[in-house]
Amino acid sequence: MDKFIIRGGKPLKGRVKVEGSKNAALPIIIGSLLIEKGETVIRNVPPLRDISTVIDVISHLGASVTYDEQACVMTVDARGVNKNTAPYELMRQMRASFLVLGPILSRLGEARVSLPGGCVLGSRPVDFHIKAFEAMGAKISEKGGYVIARAKPLKGGSIYFDRPSHTGTENVLFGAVFAKEKTVIANAACDPEIVDVANFLNKAGAKIHGAGTPTIVVHPVKRLKNVDYTVAGDRLVAGTFMFAAAVTGGNVRLTGIDPDELTMVNHKLMEMGCSITTTKNGLTIRGNKKLKPVSVTTFPYPGFPTDLQACLMGAACTAAGTSYIRETVFIDRFSHTMELRRLGADITVSSGEAIVHGVKELQGAEVMASDIRAGAGIVVACLAARGKSEVLRVYHVDRGYYRLEEKLSSLGADIVRVND
Ligand code: EPU
């Protein structure tokens, strides 16, 4: 198993081109299952573990896939899709695989998709997805850990999410594209990745209006055509580099992203004393020798992203005062706090809120990544810590970040990957 060895305290300086967004690429690749004719080309697909997993999933269902990792270009030919079962063996590796429910149900009239199972972010149910497909006319049952959905075809209709669900919204889009009638999604998630998915489907001939707002309307079409589409840059990777630059007092230019997707993150980093200048496809962040404390509540987009909560906490550990971090999206998403404490952080967590009393400095230690974003937050803290840290289980980080250590060391960080 790989680990990172980090000797902290080096200010990050330089320029990084941010890779394509994992959370946009995954649903776009799965969405290409809806295209029955020809080969779909998807560009800017980051070479990550989760991308390999989704290739396995859609290949299992009968799609032919090529992937040039060097060029980040994938092709998907979904003509041969003929299996309706997504097995547990594949599903348990990545929760996002549940997104195949929509395309398989639309294409084959029946889908058998394994329930994703437990997750370190706490209980992550799929009841919103199921309720939405039922509202669209699907007959749904559960047997032996599988959700079995039947609809020939889906009717469409009016969907309401009790709270905005990111992949729930995407799954409904997939089901709605070929439904009999119009579908209206109320309280839809507004994340930029959903806009990317809608842009992809619309380029292929779908009629989706309102993506990026809480009300999305989908007018059904008969078929989609193959397209050539480029995935947007990853705002969460960009945000991670921003916190790393902030906590090390660095000066980093990020390109390949839309800075408007990071507005809330920019506000919080400026409150912490950083300066940020934006351009059309990027931004520059200058950190501060001593960051100020901050109060943050995570919230669905455009609120502060839960996926950057750990990175913000990593930076708040050495701020000049007390920070308050409330998690409202995944209330148990605090596994990184135990590891940050091993570095000397002073954090207490109670009822979905972390109170972080800034300490003078963190000290290097052996720490462990428990999920993608927790791992990123721990790396951010280790970059600031005095002395040597070892970050174990970086395979979690590799699910969402492409060669994080190489990019960080190109900015001057002292970080290496070691195979244990
Ligand atoms: N929820 C339900 N029932 C459902 C679905 C969601 O109760 O059927 C709850 C969840 O438990 C959570 C909230 O609704 O409390 C929002 O969850 P959401 O459905 O939006 O999350 P998701 O779609 O499963 C995606 C990202 C996550 C990201 C969240 C929040 C992908 C592949 N995953 O998950 O990304 O944290 O949205 O923005 O897009 C990551 O990249 O590391 C990651 C975990």
Side-chain angles (χ1 to χ4, degrees):
M1 259 196 272
D2 287 2
K3 64 182 178 187
F4 290 153
I5 297 183
I6 301 174
R7 287 181 175 80
K10 303 253 183 340
L12 301 189
K13 290 208 167 94
R15 175 188 282 254
V16 166
K17 172 151 184 345
V18 176
E19 66 245 31
S21 159
K22 164 183 88 76
N23 287 350
L26 291 173
I28 287 172
I29 294 165
I30 292 175
S32 68
L33 293 176
L34 291 164
I35 301 172
E36 284 189 54
K37 250 190 163 178
E39 202 174 66
T40 297
V41 180
I42 309 168
R43 300 180 192 274
N44 206 24
V45 177
L48 302 170
R49 259 192 60 203
D50 274 12
I51 298 295
S52 313
T53 306
V54 81
I55 293 175
D56 290 345
V57 172
I58 67 166
S59 304
H60 171 87
L61 296 169
S64 304
V65 184
T66 69
Y67 183 36
D68 180 343
E69 291 198 5
Q70 208 73 24
C72 297
V73 179
M74 183 175 290
T75 66
V76 180
D77 184 337
R79 272 174 285 201
V81 167
N82 57 1
K83 285 212 187 72
N84 65 9
T85 304
Y88 180 59
E89 175 51 28
L90 295 171
M91 292 296 300
R92 70 185 174 83
Q93 297 177 37
M94 188 183 67
R95 201 188 131 80
S97 308
F98 198 73
L99 280 169
V100 299
L101 182 66
I104 294 303
L105 191 55
S106 291
R107 281 274 311 262
L108 305 178
E110 178 170 336
R112 289 168 44 85
V113 181
S114 165
L115 283 162
C119 174
V120 287
L121 303 187
S123 138
R124 288 177 77 188
V126 286
D127 54 322
F128 294 172
H129 300 238
I130 291 171
K131 220 172 113 190
F133 281 105
E134 278 175 340
M136 293 170 82
K139 293 270 171 287
I140 305 220
S141 55
E142 265 182 57
K143 202 174 169 197
Y146 281 77
V147 172
I148 303 157
R150 292 191 184 92
K152 289 185 178 171
L154 282 161
K155 285 205 307 277
S158 187
I159 312 294
Y160 171 82
F161 283 116
D162 285 333
R163 55 181 295 166
S165 167
H166 185 144
T167 50
T169 303
E170 292 164 346
N171 224 343
V172 171
L173 290 184
F174 296 150
V177 165
F178 297 144
K180 239 171 149 176
E181 287 155 26
K182 177 175 93 169
T183 303
V184 180
I185 313 173
N187 204 21
C190 301
D191 303 70
E193 295 79 13
I194 293 166
V195 177
D196 218 9
V197 172
N199 287 344
F200 164 73
L201 293 173
N202 283 344
K203 192 171 184 191
K207 290 188 177 150
I208 301 169
H209 305 282
T213 76
T215 307
I216 303 182
V217 180
V218 186
H219 295 281
V221 294
K222 286 270 175 282
R223 63 190 64 81
L224 297 179
K225 61 176 192 296
N226 60 323
V227 283
D228 188 320
Y229 190 81
T230 302
V231 174
D234 196 317
R235 64 185 167 113
L236 302 174
V237 171
T240 301
F241 279 99
M242 291 170 80
F243 284 106
V247 77
T248 60
N251 182 344
V252 172
R253 164 122 189 96
L254 298 166
T255 60
I257 44 136
D258 177 353
D260 289 346
E261 296 176 359
L262 286 152
T263 303
M264 196 63 189
V265 177
N266 294 352
H267 278 303
K268 287 297 156 188
L269 278 162
M270 288 192 286
E271 275 179 39
M272 293 177 92
C274 300
S275 83
I276 295 168
T277 49
T278 60
T279 55
K280 200 167 156 256
N281 74 338
L283 57 83
T284 302
I285 173 161
R286 284 177 200 81
N288 197 326
K289 276 220 171 72
K290 194 72 188 165
L291 294 174
K292 295 180 201 154
V294 72
S295 277
V296 175
T297 300
T298 66
F299 219 65
Y301 189 86
F304 188 89
T306 173
D307 296 290
L308 289 173
Q309 181 254 105
C311 288
L312 178 134
M313 193 184 291
C317 288
T318 45
T322 301
S323 298
Y324 298 87
I325 303 175
R326 178 162 285 281
E327 175 58 63
T328 72
V329 180
F330 297 112
I331 53 165
D332 297 326
R333 197 176 205 175
F334 285 116
S335 60
H336 42 285
T337 53
M338 301 236 293
E339 305 304 307
L340 295 175
R341 279 192 211 117
R342 293 177 56 78
L343 298 167
D346 180 351
I347 306 171
T348 50
V349 179
S350 157
S351 313
E353 184 177 58
I355 301 177
V356 186
H357 299 289
V359 294
K360 199 160 163 277
E361 65 177 15
L362 297 176
Q363 301 284 344
E366 269 188 314
V367 281
M368 191 172 78
S370 54
D371 71 68
I372 306 175
R373 311 299 169 187
I378 290 162
V379 168
V380 165
C382 291
L383 290 170
R386 176 193 280 266
K388 178 178 154 189
S389 296
E390 294 196 9
V391 184
L392 312 179
R393 300 200 182 170
V394 296
Y395 60 85
H396 286 295
V397 178
D398 293 337
R399 284 186 53 199
Y401 294 84
Y402 180 54
R403 297 191 179 160
L404 181 63
E405 76 285 6
E406 286 182 19
K407 290 195 180 114
L408 287 170
S409 67
S410 79
L411 295 173
D414 187 343
I415 174 170
V416 286
R417 178 186 290 263
V418 176
N419 191 278
D420 239 355

